Amino acid sequence: MPDTDQDTPLSGHACIQSYLKVLDNSPGVYRMLNERSEVLYVGKARNLRARVSNYARPSGHTARIARMIDETRSMMFLTTKTETEALLLEQNLIKQLKPRYNVLLRDDKSFPYILLPRDHPYPQLRKHRGRRSTKGKYFGPFASAGAVNRTLNQLQRVFLLRNCTDSVFNSRTRPCLQYQIKRCSAPCVGYISEEDYGALMLDAERFLSGKDTNLQKELAAEMQVASDAMEFERAAALRDRIRALTNVQQQQGINPQGVPEADVIALHLEKGQACVQVFFIRANQNWGNRDFYPATGAGAAEPEILEAFMAQFYDGKEPPRQILLSHGLEEPDLMADLLAQRAGRKVEILVPQRGEKADLVAGALRNARESLARRMAHSTAQAKLLQGLADAFGLDAAPNRVEVYDNSHIQGSHAVGALIVAGPEGFIKSQYRKFDIKDTSITPGDDFGMMKEVLTRRFTRLQKEDPDRQSDAWPDLLLIDGGAGQVSAVAGILEELGVADIPMVGVAKGVDRDAGKEEFHRAGQRPFALRHNDPVLYFVQRLRDEAHRFAIGTHRAKRAKALTASPLDDIPGVGAGRKKALLAHFGSAKAVTRAGLADLRAVPGISDALAQVIHDHLNER
């Protein structure tokens, strides 16, 4: 809906009031915009007119809402058929626009699962993350890779399923160490039939599904039958499996008995900061927990934070059948409808007051409170270090974003540049960036030339995306690994780019290149050092070491990829399947490069047109 036509632009309550004349009672989504047309807030409404009229009232608002209203200069509206559609659209817009006054889930990484595939006679039990493209059964989510690894370790001990890749499986001629330590049944060399291995897979599936109550009795009965038949080796193997299963069940003693499948979500809010703790209960087992620290939209209350968190958290994740909350939602039925649509089945949302479920929520709430306390303590210490950085380097204020740059190469080969970022919350790994050095005119090993390319690419893009420096992507301080020469060169680069006003400091190794003897260089100033026991010095060393670690890791990954590169990788139309067919037919990539057009046409799955493409590409090389 376009803004109202006014001789003098309206703001605040008056601006919002002007929209009431043209709004109806439809459900939908509204957006509040400031004078620069930036979205301040995205909200949903069962009745747009009624919701917007609440903002038009001159009083009765929280401090957060009052600030948002004062900054509002225009509004936009989208109507929907139902309130559930409005909620879904609201969360999509929040994810896309990231408005300042909305609650934002900043850490939304995918979760690992355990996969029991169905694409092999002897399937490999493995960890899975990402799209579910492989046919099989998926169990999860698990809170972390560590939780998956512990469960996989237990499953191997109990069910003797292989964990090797298909290529290793196909190449084995004798059992590996996993068989010797009784963690695999050695299907690779035929020590177990396909039928018996399938039975082990079904037992593992029952265990992960929480249907293992009679498993020990069944194993004990099998052991007795084997013993009576004087099959003592088989009886001993079954005995070892029973012991392993008993040990696992003892370790799982803290798991809930009356909650087969649920997510336990608890929120602790303190001094405007929030921690949401999520425990994953599947198959009556605790599959770990993870904490989240959503941006609270400048001071939202618990129900709004939880509602926004759940809508964003389950975007792309399948919700469980039951969700246990520490606080009630403003509209629990609406959230349940949304999650039921995503899951394709009923989802129950509860705020338990007594019993085992209440104990689970209390435990999650305790973890949320303790996690937030640790984070706030860390933030306080980090704030002191950043202020110390400002005092040491003569900055006007403590930096909110410190960028550290480094290069890595071996005699100029596989050269990369690296950028790491730190702020009030510590290292911001989502902001790390790596740069492949692309300028072929740079002399191999020319650190100045590599740094110039990295900084030019970084700030040219930044100036294009945010020329007015309105976002928090602009750094308050640059740290460069190097001495006076490096600082002088970088200062010239920044001046050419028009960003010479950004403070920049070079960190030189100092005498004998020993840690603790670093010298700091600024353009046009004498070098100086900090006391060897100064916490700020340790902080700078951590920043430099992290940049160095990230640069070296990036360089090694690039070098490893180059070592395994094949001339077939860059041929258009040749994917993994056709590449495999070519290698199987000719024996090696080198033999493919020597093949004639007629030989290429003889490869299964290679058409005449594709054979011509492959031949032309390899001959051009």
Side-chain angles (χ1 to χ4, degrees):
M1 181 177 294
D3 297 344
T4 55
D5 187 14
Q6 303 283 346
D7 294 333
T8 302
L10 298 177
S11 63
H13 299 286
C15 171
I16 297 171
Q17 182 74 39
S18 66
Y19 288 95
L20 292 177
K21 304 172 185 177
V22 290
L23 285 175
D24 58 19
N25 299 325
S26 301
V29 173
Y30 58 92
R31 281 176 275 183
M32 294 179 164
L33 293 81
N34 63 11
E35 59 187 2
R36 294 188 297 272
S37 296
E38 297 171 340
V39 178
L40 297 171
Y41 184 79
V42 175
K44 69 172 189 320
R46 178 181 292 129
N47 184 321
L48 280 172
R49 180 179 174 81
R51 177 59 61 87
V52 174
S53 65
N54 291 334
Y55 293 112
R57 290 187 288 107
S59 61
H61 304 292
T62 64
R64 163 179 171 253
I65 299 300
R67 289 197 304 271
M68 181 179 71
I69 291 173
D70 288 340
E71 294 181 37
T72 300
R73 296 295 181 271
S74 63
M75 296 185 70
M76 297 178 66
F77 304 90
L78 286 168
T79 60
T80 59
K81 293 181 180 180
T82 66
E83 192 180 5
T84 303
E85 289 183 7
L87 176 58
L88 183 58
L89 178 58
E90 175 199 36
Q91 296 307 320
N92 289 339
L93 290 173
I94 289 173
K95 189 173 183 179
Q96 175 186 350
L97 300 173
K98 295 180 173 57
R100 174 186 172 188
Y101 286 97
N102 280 100
V103 176
L104 302 175
L105 177 58
R106 292 176 290 192
D107 181 9
D108 192 23
K109 299 176 181 177
S110 63
F111 291 90
Y113 286 74
I114 285 178
L115 170 60
L116 295 180
R118 291 286 184 262
D119 58 354
H120 195 280
Y122 299 95
Q124 169 202 6
L125 184 70
R126 63 177 184 262
K127 177 170 56 181
H128 177 86
R129 194 191 293 265
R131 292 182 57 193
R132 300 187 180 187
S133 55
T134 303
K135 184 179 179 181
K137 294 208 68 172
Y138 294 82
F139 297 90
F142 289 80
S144 64
V148 173
N149 292 335
R150 285 192 296 272
T151 304
L152 287 175
N153 186 42
Q154 295 167 357
L155 292 173
Q156 277 186 266
R157 292 166 56 197
V158 175
F159 302 108
L160 309 179
L161 301 176
R162 74 179 180 96
N163 67 346
C164 59
T165 63
D166 290 349
S167 59
V168 171
F169 178 88
N170 294 331
S171 64
R172 295 299 304 181
T173 58
R174 59 181 181 175
C176 66
L177 182 62
Q178 293 293 318
Y179 173 77
Q180 304 296 337
I181 62 176
K182 300 180 180 179
R183 295 201 175 188
C184 182
S185 52
C188 54
V189 291
Y191 281 16
I192 185 173
S193 68
E194 185 177 337
E195 181 181 356
D196 290 341
Y197 191 88
L200 293 178
M201 288 287 293
L202 288 176
D203 287 344
E205 189 174 311
R206 287 168 56 197
F207 177 81
L208 289 170
S209 301
K211 302 175 183 177
D212 61 329
T213 53
N214 296 320
L215 191 54
Q216 275 181 301
K217 293 181 180 178
E218 294 174 4
L219 292 175
E222 288 184 38
M223 181 179 69
Q224 186 61 49
V225 170
S227 178
D228 293 342
M230 303 183 69
E231 298 177 0
F232 298 120
E233 289 188 9
R234 174 173 168 74
L238 289 167
R239 178 203 61 199
D240 293 340
R241 288 182 60 195
I242 293 172
R243 286 179 179 175
L245 183 59
T246 303
N247 184 46
V248 167
Q249 290 173 336
Q250 289 173 348
Q251 292 176 359
Q252 300 282 342
I254 62 170
N255 292 327
Q257 298 303 310
V259 184
E261 178 182 331
D263 283 351
V264 184
I265 302 178
L267 164 67
H268 181 69
L269 187 61
E270 184 176 342
K271 297 180 180 178
Q273 298 188 50
C275 176
V276 178
Q277 193 80 208
V278 183
F279 279 75
F280 302 96
I281 308 296
R282 299 293 186 274
N284 294 100
Q285 300 174 31
N286 185 342
W287 283 358
N289 65 297
R290 184 182 291 187
D291 48 1
F292 299 85
Y293 301 91
T296 59
E302 284 93 342
E304 183 179 353
I305 294 174
L306 269 180
E307 180 180 283
F309 172 83
M310 291 175 63
Q312 296 174 52
F313 180 74
Y314 291 112
D315 181 21
K317 299 182 182 72
E318 182 178 345
R321 299 182 183 278
Q322 199 170 74
I323 299 176
L324 309 180
L325 299 180
S326 61
H327 299 76
L329 303 178
E330 293 177 350
E331 297 175 301
D333 293 340
L334 178 62
M335 180 59 65
D337 289 342
L338 175 65
L339 298 182
Q341 286 185 16
R342 290 177 173 173
R345 51 172 167 72
K346 182 180 178 181
V347 176
E348 187 179 18
I349 298 177
L350 300 175
V351 184
Q353 302 300 317
R354 63 183 63 85
E356 186 179 34
K357 294 176 181 177
D359 293 340
L360 288 172
V361 172
L365 189 58
R366 182 181 64 253
N367 277 271
R369 183 170 55 251
E370 293 172 354
S371 296
L372 185 59
R374 288 192 296 269
R375 183 181 179 88
M376 292 174 70
H378 174 74
S379 297
T380 301
Q382 189 77 2
K384 290 181 180 178
L385 291 173
L386 292 172
Q387 184 59 52
L389 209 60
D391 296 338
F393 298 150
L395 307 180
D396 296 333
N400 282 318
R401 183 183 177 97
V402 180
E403 294 189 354
V404 190
Y405 292 84
D406 197 7
N407 299 322
S408 183
H409 59 90
I410 295 180
Q411 296 181 342
S413 65
H414 311 302
V416 295
L419 157 67
I420 70 153
V421 181
E425 297 178 356
F427 293 116
I428 311 174
K429 296 193 175 183
S430 62
Q431 298 292 311
Y432 286 17
R433 296 293 181 267
K434 52 189 176 183
F435 302 83
D436 285 328
I437 303 302
K438 300 177 180 178
D439 190 350
T440 56
S441 65
I442 296 177
T443 304
D446 181 4
D447 284 334
F448 292 169
M450 287 187 282
M451 185 62 68
K452 180 175 182 178
E453 179 180 336
V454 169
L455 291 173
T456 300
R457 288 165 57 184
R458 163 67 178 151
F459 286 100
T460 299
R461 180 170 183 173
L462 202 51
Q463 288 171 323
K464 181 180 179 181
E465 294 178 349
D466 185 20
D468 298 327
R469 302 193 185 185
Q470 297 296 324
S471 71
D472 56 4
W474 282 86
D476 301 307
L477 174 66
L478 304 183
L479 292 181
I480 307 297
D481 187 19
Q486 193 83 342
V487 166
S488 178
V490 170
I493 297 168
L494 296 179
E495 188 171 356
E496 289 179 17
L497 297 171
V499 291
D501 58 319
I502 298 177
M504 181 265 299
V505 177
V507 184
K509 298 277 191 311
V511 180
D512 300 327
R513 302 178 68 83
D514 286 342
K517 298 181 180 180
E518 286 83 357
E519 290 185 345
F520 301 97
H521 297 258
R522 296 200 63 178
Q525 299 182 19
R526 294 173 59 87
F528 65 96
L530 297 174
R531 300 189 320 272
H532 73 280
N533 60 349
D534 192 328
V536 176
L537 176 60
Y538 298 144
F539 182 46
V540 173
Q541 290 173 351
R542 282 172 49 212
L543 294 174
R544 181 198 60 199
D545 293 345
E546 174 67 3
H548 197 49
R549 179 201 66 78
F550 185 59
I552 289 177
T554 303
H555 163 74
R556 286 174 176 169
K558 183 178 180 180
R559 187 179 63 193
K561 185 177 180 180
L563 290 174
T564 58
S566 165
L568 308 180
D569 293 338
D570 300 327
I571 303 176
V574 177
R578 286 168 175 164
K579 180 179 172 182
K580 185 176 180 179
L582 288 167
L583 292 174
H585 186 84
F586 292 103
S588 68
K590 189 173 184 180
V592 177
T593 63
R594 297 171 176 170
L597 186 58
D599 297 326
L600 293 171
R601 288 172 175 166
V603 178
I606 304 297
S607 64
D608 292 349
L610 183 57
Q612 187 68 54
V613 170
I614 296 171
H615 185 265
D616 293 344
H617 181 88
L618 295 176
N619 281 310
E620 286 175 5
R621 288 171 56 89

